[in-house]
Amino acid sequence: MRPSGAAQVAGVAGWPISHSLSPRLMAAWIEAAGLDAIYAPFAIGPEGAEEAFKVLAKTGLTGLNITLPHKEIALKIADSSSDAAKAVGAANLLTFKDGKSCADNTDVAGFLSSLEEGGADPAYDPASGPALVLGAGGAARAIVYALKLAGCPEIILSNRTESRATALAEEMAINCSILPWDRRDEGLEQANLVINTTSLGLKGQNDLVMDWDQASQSCVVVDIVYTPLETGFLKAAAGRGLKTIDGLGMLIGQARPSFEAFFGVPSDDQLDVRALLETVLRHKS
Ligand code: ATR
């Protein structure tokens, strides 16, 4: 349906934003649901983001997904916020009503739903064993919180800057051990789940290298990076016969509750949005 003057409008705000896959994904769901709606990219620079969000809240937009570098600011400016956004300290979703904004964090649910994809059948259950989390930045915060919510019995954290890992473990009050970055392989033997939350492996960056020979054969390996879809980290793990999950699952998983929050109807679960995004990514590379 072509949008009318009464179309519901939502979008994604970040800087840069032209690489975002969210407009393609949301457009596919909007079309499938036959909605009179638009989902647009908003290039909002680091300066003035606070002001921009406050103004956009008063324009009739139903909401915004928030991506780098604005996830902390979004939480700060919101009139109210969910427990997940508060616990993570960041918001990837702002919904607007009557000029007021509400912050949420659907990366948490997105990560958990990505564990249902691809790697394990039945879905991987975080309560089934220890997880090795590599990195302690913003993405790690959402993932550690998700693992805690899902009953993960132990988290092994390793980050290049060890003090960030220690601070994260203390703040989240989790059962956690910290490994120095150069000894991160020592967590592999014990871990049922290994997650790269660092930016290593992103196109143009070095790969995150692990000694997969030390991993248990039943371990599931996740990368939240999706450009490229198969990072060096996942490729090496798959080469050792380990189950792997790429970053598209989390992208799609965080978008589903966002779509419903913006447009009031669930996203189509029959549409093969993974295939759609894989095609978009192939054309980009
Ligand atoms: P995000 O919000 O995407 O998580 P971030 O908060 O900047 O971004 O965190 C990036 C993560 O990648 C951090 O864990 C960072 O490690 P530091 O805390 O030591 O900075 C990690 N990272 C980035 N470049 C890295 C590199 N070359 N080697 C190891 N870790 C790296």
Side-chain angles (χ1 to χ4, degrees), residues 68 135-140 159-161 164 181 197-200 205:
L68 298 178
N159 190 50
R160 179 179 61 177
T161 310
R164 276 184 103 184
W181 186 241
T197 76
T198 74
S199 47
L200 287 171
Q205 290 229 28

Side-chain angles (χ1 to χ4, degrees), residues 5-88:
Q8 290 180 289
V9 183
V12 57
W15 184 266
I17 198 62
S18 58
H19 68 286
S20 175
L21 294 178
S22 297
R24 296 285 193 121
L25 177 57
M26 293 290 189
W29 284 331
I30 287 171
E31 194 185 328
L35 295 179
D36 184 10
I38 302 172
Y39 182 92
F42 289 82
I44 295 178
E47 271 138 50
E50 217 170 304
E51 200 46 42
F53 295 148
K54 286 183 186 162
V55 170
L56 287 168
K58 300 187 197 307
T59 57
L61 249 70
T62 61
L64 287 173
N65 281 122
I66 308 294
T67 186
L68 298 178
H70 301 316
K71 291 186 181 187
E72 282 89 11
I73 292 174
L75 177 64
K76 191 177 140 215
I77 60 98
D79 297 294
S80 60
S81 42
S82 70
D83 289 346
K86 280 184 212 150
V88 174

